[in-house]
Amino acid sequence: MSFPSWLSQLYRGLSRPIRRTTQPIWGSLYRSLVQSSQRRNPEFSSFAVRTNTCGELRSSHLGQEVTLCGWIQYRRQNTFLVLRDFHGLVQVVIPQDESAASVRKILCEAPVESVVQVSGTVISRPAGQENPKMPTGEIEIKVKTAELLNACKKLPFEIKDFMKKTEGLRLQYRYLDLRSFQMQYNLRLRSQMVMKMREYLCNLHGFVDIETPTLFKRTPGGAKEFLVPSREPGKFYSLPQSPQQFKQLLMVGGLDRYFQVARCYRDEGSRPDRQPEFTQIDIEMSFVDQTGIQSLIEGLLQYSWPNDKDPVVVPFPTVTFTEALATYGTDKPDTRFGMKIIDISDVFRNTEIGFLQDALSKPHGTVKAICIPEGAKYLKRKDIESIRKFAADHFNQEILPVFLNANRNWNSPVASFIMESQRLELIRLMDTQEEDVVLLTAGEHNKACSLLGKLRLECADLLETRGMVLRDPTLFSFLWVVDFPLFLPKEENPRELESAHHPFTAPHPSDIHLLYTEPKKARSQHYDLVLNGNEIGGGSIRIHNAELQRYILATLLKEDVKMLSHLLQALDYGAPPHGGIALGLDRLICLVTGSPSIRDVIAFPKSFRGHDLMSNAPDSIPSEELKPYHIRVSWPTDSKAERAH
Ligand code: ASP
């Protein structure tokens, strides 16, 4: 087969995203899954005892003898049951004649969710009994033989997507939760996107898929790592927070285009978009610059994007870190909607409003505002009150609301102090309309921007819960954020520096001299990829000069360079210029499928507290078994009491 025709047969994406799956749309979703599968003609029943899948049978199969295996979805009046597998549902007629008493007994007595095998003939449904909502709705199976493969006990919850169940229960019985259509869909879409990514990287662009160790040693800086005890007293492995060092070492090794679907570990607790173990599409290449990596990723996403969604448009827009902060108050802006932060300091240079005057008299004082479209209509007084309280509690900042009423009487605690000229200038700068609300704050630039950035998102959520459509749910808004600072002040000690990305990130070529004079001002060659306000990837061009790397680690970051001596040594042996990126696969799939949490796109995720609720990991180990590791647990006093119970 020629290369292009082989390519043309490659898998072509899945169906549309689903937020809530209810029974009636099962049919169409299954249909699109099956159709997209059929385009590639995979053999879904090869090597198995079944001849067909439940969901694939149509009128074209009439008269065929088939063997199906599936779970009993439901049974109606002991006359038929509906059998389910991933492909869909099919109706099986329970025979009523005496000669088939044993088959009838099996099919009538097996509890729901038991797994059965049936053989029989595909027949038409009687006229008028077709079900247009079901892809298999024109046919049914006239059973000849049936076997109960395994019975199902009383379930902890119904396997129906529309039945609400707590996440705890879903995680405890994850193997049952996985039977839901939603989970099947999410995991299959994930598998197919990853397959396309492999094709793009390896087959189209010559990348090499290389596995790197998960038993490694501590990396200075960055996230907290999980420790794994070894049998050597006092010695531990660390689980890598990413394959960063290995991928750079591969470049030194001449494997100049590396990629891996890499499992990474960070001991930082779970959040809706974080897991202690997570997966990255990890990429590194030699002889490349920032725009090369960006184009590679744009092509990768375009190629692997599910076909039924609006195509990914490239190149993605780019903003600098400084612009992102000034306009959206964050380094991961949600660019699906406006409500940008506007600097209105100049409007209020001669104001009589006390706190604005105060702020502007300070060296870096500014006045900033966002405009909430139709806020006067959608936001209630109590919303404004809680916005003001949030600003005071979390940012120690004052927020001034201005309601732009149609009658030109602006409603605000300071309305009478806003002069007509200021008013006109505000309208011009902020492009306000009647019924909008302007939220105004004053203070130091970064602080004012961060606060308004938070309020921008809060207000967008509020407007949407009140019925305004602000963010198109089908829109995927990608954005590159570039020109990050190389260093940030350390949170725990702002006089010290830490890397904004990681210590291997190269400085911006025009800022190298600043490393020796004002390192805080140096920009880096670090880039983040943002999708709908979520960071889905990040990477950088790396330092390939050992001396510069040593200077940054030892002198600027005050790290122990001994821990990285292997890397520093490697850089000295003709390390090529290189750079890379990692995409957070879980987060990406979560956004593509419109899932509320990354746990919905991971087969066996950890709970919010990092536990596996199904197996109860982490678990205690008898002290005998800890001996070979030279470890003894020192129990905190309160947990001793707990253990006694
Ligand atoms: N290792 C980095 C991370 O996990 C990504 C990169 O710089 O390539 O964020």
Side-chain angles (χ1 to χ4, degrees), residues 11-14 192-193 195-201 204-205 283 293-316 476 478 480 529 531 536 583 588 592:
Y11 183 42
R12 288 180 181 277
L14 265 167
Q192 289 171 354
M193 274 188 82
M195 180 60 88
K196 294 286 272 180
M197 289 183 179
R198 282 186 197 281
E199 282 166 13
Y200 178 83
L201 291 167
L204 301 188
H205 293 285
I283 291 173
I293 298 284
Q294 288 177 331
S295 304
L296 169 77
I297 294 303
E298 287 165 357
L300 174 73
L301 287 166
Q302 202 171 37
Y303 186 86
S304 57
W305 205 244
N307 260 20
D308 58 328
K309 295 184 184 16
D310 290 345
V312 170
V313 179
V314 301
F316 302 152
F476 291 94
F478 288 97
W480 287 111
L529 182 59
L531 171 57
I536 58 155
L583 296 182
L588 174 65
V592 173

Side-chain angles (χ1 to χ4, degrees), residues 65-109:
E65 296 296 315
V66 295
T67 296
L68 305 175
C69 298
W71 286 266
I72 299 177
Q73 176 83 359
Y74 55 85
R75 183 172 24 239
R76 202 163 287 156
Q77 295 150 358
N78 286 350
T79 54
F80 64 83
L81 53 81
V82 169
L83 214 57
R84 182 197 74 237
D85 62 18
F86 132 77
H87 257 252
L89 305 168
V90 68
Q91 181 160 300
V92 172
V93 186
I94 301 175
Q96 301 300 319
D97 42 314
E98 257 328 292
S99 59
S102 63
V103 172
R104 193 169 70 235
K105 186 169 158 47
I106 290 170
L107 297 182
C108 288
E109 287 179 5

Side-chain angles (χ1 to χ4, degrees), residues 252-276:
V252 183
L255 284 141
D256 63 353
R257 287 170 174 237
Y258 144 91
F259 117 91
Q260 180 180 194
V261 181
R263 183 58 53 81
C264 305
Y265 306 88
R266 294 182 193 172
D267 191 5
E268 296 183 322
S270 292
R271 288 205 234 136
D273 62 349
R274 289 236 170 126
Q275 274 278 292

Side-chain angles (χ1 to χ4, degrees), residues 242 244 247 266 280 282 284 501-502 538-540 542 580-582:
S242 84
Q244 185 60 38
K247 64 176 175 173
R266 294 182 193 172
Q280 286 185 342
D282 197 41
E284 194 78 8
H501 187 48
H502 54 55
S540 60
R542 324 297 185 190
I581 190 163

